[in-house]
Amino acid sequence: MKNIIKLLITIAIFYFLFQKIDFQTLWAILAKSHGGWILLALIMQLGSTYLAAYRWFKISKLLVFKERLSFYVQSYFKGTFFNQVLPSSIGGDAVRIIDLTRKGYDKKEAFYGVFVDRVVGLVGLLVLNFIASIIFYGTFPSDFSRLIILISVAGIAGFFSLFLFEKINFLAKYKFLNLLHRLSVRLNQLYSSKTVLVKHISISVAVHFLSVLTIYGIALSINAHLSFQMLLIAVPPVFLLTIVPVSLAGWGIREGAMVGIFMLVGADSTKVLAMSILYGLLLIIGALPGSYFWIKNKKITQEEKK
């Protein structure tokens, strides 16, 4: 039922967009896209996924997990495959948690490791957006830029405030607040050295920077005439919106947000939509290695049961 609702939302958004955009022009832009830039963009996207897996590996090393980097790379690609290609009830994070539990690790520890990886990844996105919005202030209308800066600062401040909850002992008495208290305790244990935290956030910034480079390559492939600094400011908010699980793999939400944001600078809506669709297709292609790892691990599991 949940996936049906997501599908309906996705269809509704695309229907609205196609009412505003000439479909034949859109198809012509997609058909004429430059293959060389698309290939380079795909390499950037694969690099982003690999680097994200490396971040998870570095975080997990600080916990109880002793697996090799190859395990995290394979599991991360599998998770991406489930997120982008298989609209199932099992999300990518759940796949990663299951992979760890199959290795004999405690489910709560596995959840914690994946959760911290997610949060650090989100902080990296906010940091990148904040820096880009400050350096290139004036690229977009001031109201939009100030809103992005405010959201980024609030998100980053919210993350670092989590470290303070450990000292507020009465929070442990309440069910929901107890979760925040325990999370704060674990974060302080994990990042007793703030230098390590800065390194992990820096990896996250690099992950999202590569994703923006991916979209820039796509923009060049269709002659969208969008500067890299525009994308550095506009793309992270789009990524933030696609985190909200209201459509299938972010389809529709991503396209609507892209078109809406770039309208602020007078960009060609048809080319922006084409760019977003190509990026979505590239995400699917970039996730396909996960299908190989999934099938491979499934065969190994079946053989072990015999």
Side-chain angles (χ1 to χ4, degrees):
M1 184 63 183
K2 184 170 65 175
N3 286 328
I4 293 175
I5 294 173
K6 289 182 179 180
L7 176 61
L8 292 174
I9 291 173
T10 302
I11 292 172
I13 295 173
F14 271 109
Y15 177 79
F16 175 79
L17 290 172
F18 287 147
Q19 296 300 307
K20 305 292 183 180
I21 291 169
D22 182 68
F23 187 77
Q24 289 185 338
T25 304
L26 173 65
W27 178 254
I29 293 171
L30 291 170
K32 293 179 181 178
S33 57
H34 192 282
W37 284 116
I38 295 292
L39 178 60
L40 186 60
L42 176 60
I43 293 171
M44 291 295 108
Q45 182 56 42
L46 290 171
S48 175
T49 305
Y50 177 87
L51 199 56
Y54 176 74
R55 178 192 63 217
W56 183 32
F57 164 68
K58 297 296 287 186
I59 291 172
S60 297
K61 281 183 66 177
L62 298 176
L63 298 168
V64 299
F65 311 110
K66 307 298 180 183
E67 303 304 313
R68 295 180 178 180
L69 174 59
S70 59
F71 166 82
Y72 295 97
V73 172
Q74 292 183 32
S75 183
Y76 208 98
F77 268 101
K78 283 166 61 182
T80 304
F81 175 70
F82 270 78
N83 279 337
Q84 297 298 329
V85 184
L86 299 179
S88 65
S89 58
I90 302 176
D93 289 344
V95 170
R96 293 197 280 157
I97 292 171
I98 291 170
D99 280 347
L100 284 170
T101 55
R102 283 176 176 170
K103 287 288 185 178
Y105 296 107
D106 181 73
K107 188 176 181 179
K108 288 184 179 179
E109 291 292 333
F111 170 80
Y112 179 74
V114 172
F115 180 78
V116 171
D117 175 66
R118 270 290 188 177
V119 171
V120 173
L122 177 58
V123 172
L125 181 63
L126 294 171
V127 169
L128 176 62
N129 209 190
F130 174 76
I131 294 172
S133 297
I134 293 294
I135 294 176
F136 302 118
Y137 190 85
T139 303
F140 280 82
S142 297
D143 289 345
F144 176 76
S145 297
R146 284 196 290 266
L147 176 62
I148 294 304
I149 292 170
L150 178 62
I151 292 173
S152 299
V153 170
I156 295 168
F159 170 71
F160 283 102
S161 68
L162 282 175
F163 287 86
L164 303 177
F165 278 80
E166 180 187 21
K167 300 177 182 179
I168 310 176
N169 293 322
F170 79 88
L171 294 178
K173 298 178 182 179
Y174 304 96
K175 189 174 181 180
F176 174 73
L177 295 178
N178 179 49
L179 176 63
L180 293 177
H181 185 266
R182 285 188 285 116
L183 176 60
S184 179
V185 172
R186 299 300 296 275
L187 279 174
N188 279 286
Q189 292 172 346
L190 183 63
Y191 291 120
S192 55
S193 168
K194 294 302 181 283
T195 302
V196 175
L197 175 60
V198 170
K199 288 180 180 179
H200 289 177
I201 292 175
S202 298
I203 294 172
S204 297
V205 171
V207 168
H208 297 300
F209 188 82
L210 284 174
S211 293
V212 176
L213 275 176
T214 299
I215 297 179
Y216 183 55
I218 294 172
L220 291 174
S221 76
I222 60 172
N223 296 314
H225 304 295
L226 297 173
S227 67
F228 185 60
Q229 68 190 54
M230 282 185 180
L231 293 169
L232 273 176
I233 297 170
V235 169
V238 173
F239 288 165
L240 282 174
L241 288 172
T242 56
I243 291 174
V244 183
V246 295
S247 67
L248 291 178
W251 283 96
I253 297 295
R254 177 180 57 243
E255 286 67 37
M258 281 275 203
V259 171
I261 290 175
F262 281 106
M263 281 178 62
L264 297 174
V265 290
D268 186 329
S269 296
T270 306
K271 286 191 174 182
V272 172
L273 180 58
M275 180 178 70
S276 186
I277 290 173
L278 282 172
Y279 178 63
L281 294 174
L282 214 62
L283 286 177
I284 292 174
I285 296 171
L288 290 180
S291 65
Y292 167 75
F293 296 133
W294 178 46
I295 293 170
K296 175 186 173 183
N297 291 345
K298 197 172 182 180
K299 286 182 178 179
I300 292 173
T301 304
Q302 289 175 345
E303 289 175 0
E304 288 176 349
K305 288 181 178 180
K306 291 180 180 179

